[in-house]
Amino acid sequence: MNSRSDEFSNAASALAADGWCVLSNLLEPAQTRALTDECAAMHEAGQLQPARIGADRVASALRGDSTHWFDSGAMTVAQRAFSDRIDALRIALNRELMLGLVDCESHYAVYRPGAGYARHLDCLRDNDARVLSAVFYLNQAWLESDGGALRLYLADGSSRDILPQAGNLLLFLSAQFEHEVLPATRNRMSIACWMRQRVLVADR
Ligand code: OGA
Ligand code: MN
């Protein structure tokens, strides 16, 4: 049942039914660990920058993370492993759901203790290229008492809290789900990734 060609079928079905899901078979634990170590080392070395919001890149009190965008021309071995698997997932979802996802953009994000991201939608204003949001978590042995859940708001008015546990990939339709990052008591690391469609307007 878990052959290479249908390994993402469950995710595709869940996305089609609910618009969101959590997938745990994206990477081997050692590959996730390599990303955890790299993200932590880059953060220590001051290589992540305070995040900005929107096309006008305004710094905002709404958002407390620091980020480092992956550069497709200069990825590390760990980043390449992640990117290759995300692309395999993107292609499988295109095949099963006909989503027309043409590429991905990804960044490391670190939230220091106490930092969060207020309730928001991932679609940038005037730009509907982002179809699917994917957040891959890098925190080994995360506990509920550490806080830092991603709170996903569902259409029926309820919400789900997803812990940022290493190896888990949260997927949701970018235009449909408001969500927020609750503050944590320890550094909270992830890769935020967006799968995009072609947008037929001039770049602004
Ligand atoms: C984002 C975001 C969620 C998370 O970067 O837009 O909502 O769990 N991240 O880190
Ligand atoms: Mn978001």
Side-chain angles (χ1 to χ4, degrees), residues 9 11 13 28 51 70 85 117 125 132-133 139 142 148 152 165:
S9 287
S13 308
E28 300 297 329
F70 290 9
R85 289 288 287 159
Y117 193 159
R125 215 167 357 113
L132 198 60
S133 299
N139 310 290
W142 194 268
L152 191 69
Q165 196 65 253

Side-chain angles (χ1 to χ4, degrees), residues 49-52 63-67 107-112 115-117:
Q49 279 85 44
R52 300 283 184 270
R63 176 169 186 188
D65 57 334
S66 294
T67 65
H107 66 55
Y108 280 133
V110 178
Y111 294 78
R112 287 187 182 281
Y117 193 159

Side-chain angles (χ1 to χ4, degrees), residues 48-130:
L48 276 66
Q49 279 85 44
R52 300 283 184 270
I53 291 189
D56 37 4
R57 318 288 295 153
V58 198
S60 170
L62 293 175
R63 176 169 186 188
D65 57 334
S66 294
T67 65
H68 172 87
W69 286 95
F70 290 9
D71 172 355
S72 57
M75 282 201 255
T76 65
V77 171
Q79 292 168 10
R80 174 55 59 198
F82 171 80
S83 239
D84 285 352
R85 289 288 287 159
I86 279 286
D87 265 339
L89 172 61
R90 179 177 62 77
I91 288 159
L93 295 178
N94 278 343
R95 192 178 54 235
E96 297 208 28
L97 302 175
M98 288 174 287
L99 285 174
L101 304 167
V102 291
D103 64 9
C104 302
E105 53 181 0
S106 304
H107 66 55
Y108 280 133
V110 178
Y111 294 78
R112 287 187 182 281
Y117 193 159
R119 184 168 172 168
H120 67 281
L121 265 187
D122 279 350
C123 290
L124 301 176
R125 215 167 357 113
D126 299 335
N127 179 342
D128 65 350
R130 290 176 171 183

